[in-house]
Amino acid sequence: MNRHYRKTIIAGNWKMHKTASETVAFAAEIRGKMPENIRSEVVLCMPALNITTAQKALKGTRIAVGAETMHYEEKGAFTGEVAANMLTDLGVKYVIIGHSERRQYYNETDQSVNRKVRAALNAGLVPIVCVGESLAQREMGVTAELLAYQVMSALSGVSARELRRVVIAYEPIWAIGTGKTATAEQAQEVCEGIRTLLRKKYDARAARAVSILYGGSMNARNAAELLAMPDIDGGLIGGASLVPGDFVQIIEASRQED
Ligand code: 13P
């Protein structure tokens, strides 16, 4: 991470976990464990249904509450969906866009991810845009090309000024929920590649201001090593963000270089 130019962000992705009651219990437990004087931004992204409950329960803790997805249309006949202004109206800042599980199970494409990114930015949200390769794609040696395609399409029509509000999360699909983490070097190589791409598409100033997160079995044990890499500016954490003690240790690990 590089605190001179960009924010360090420790983001949890709760996926389809925790009821409202479990959310309140989590908040009560983490409240007493949160480290003091942390400069990193900390956010827990969760099912939209539990956002208000979590905001109340986490009040005063420095943990923000974010969303896991949103629709690209402002409103309309889209049963079950959530619009950007429903999130901003609650005071939500961060929204995950294009998680590999959404791409895999809910037909999200590079095109719809791009529409969502632009809708999020228009609404004043900070999109955490997820990109990443499958094991087969890594083994075929097309990781860099695939990631370039995913990043470029997600950011199509996004200005340099808007880019300052974009967060990118590199999540190799083979490392998600598998306990297999990319090595710090593998993760750094890809994150550095993403920044180089941003430099070419925009400019050096815009590229160095973007926080690039790593996601994929980040945990209390491996976080410090990953976060020490120059182009890894935080984490998007699934399983370990569900356990207050583990999540706090990852937040602690982001303290290095303070
Ligand atoms: P895990 O940390 O459980 O591997 O999940 C990563 C992830 O998908 C975060 O968005």
Side-chain angles (χ1 to χ4, degrees), residues 15-214:
K15 310 191 178 184
M16 197 172 74
H17 290 287
K18 294 199 192 289
T19 62
S21 319
E22 287 163 351
T23 301
V24 171
F26 176 99
E29 192 177 337
I30 204 163
R31 181 176 286 282
K33 292 192 163 84
M34 275 298 283
E36 304 266 315
N37 304 321
I38 284 288
R39 286 166 63 201
S40 315
E41 295 236 340
V42 182
V43 54
L44 283 171
C45 298
M46 62 183 62
L49 187 65
N50 292 333
I51 288 176
T52 311
T53 304
Q55 286 172 324
K56 282 191 194 136
L58 289 167
K59 216 176 166 92
T61 61
R62 281 194 86 252
I63 303 178
V65 181
E68 297 179 6
T69 184
M70 55 167 260
H71 201 276
Y72 49 73
E73 292 289 354
E74 283 178 20
K75 61 172 90 162
F78 301 102
T79 302
E81 288 289 336
V82 169
N85 72 354
M86 297 175 188
L87 298 175
T88 54
D89 192 52
L90 295 181
V92 167
K93 176 175 168 189
Y94 290 99
V95 57
I96 299 173
I97 303 281
H99 191 279
S100 60
E101 287 149 19
R102 303 272 335 157
R103 294 179 192 250
Q104 186 180 352
Y105 305 126
Y106 302 99
N107 304 320
E108 290 205 6
T109 62
D110 291 304
Q111 285 71 27
S112 63
V113 167
N114 173 244
R115 290 183 76 173
K116 289 182 177 203
V117 167
R118 284 185 292 140
L121 289 169
N122 283 339
L125 289 160
V126 173
I128 302 177
V129 187
C130 299
V131 293
E133 81 287 4
S134 66
L135 185 58
Q137 288 161 334
R138 175 162 281 266
E139 285 173 350
M140 283 191 290
V142 298
T143 299
E145 290 77 5
L146 180 87
L147 270 280
Y149 183 78
Q150 289 180 339
V151 171
M152 295 299 259
S153 6
L155 297 178
S156 174
V158 171
S159 69
R161 201 187 162 89
E162 288 172 319
L163 186 72
R164 297 189 150 270
R165 279 195 287 123
V166 172
V167 174
I168 294 178
Y170 166 53
E171 298 209 307
I173 296 168
W174 49 271
I176 295 177
T178 56
K180 269 191 221 153
T181 319
T183 63
E185 290 71 24
Q186 279 174 326
Q188 163 61 20
E189 185 185 6
V190 175
C191 293
E192 187 182 358
I194 293 172
R195 201 175 309 282
T196 303
L197 198 70
L198 296 177
R199 201 174 300 129
K200 285 189 194 138
K201 179 171 161 68
Y202 297 93
D203 55 48
R205 233 178 121 184
R208 76 185 181 200
V210 175
S211 299
I212 303 178
L213 316 184
Y214 168 78

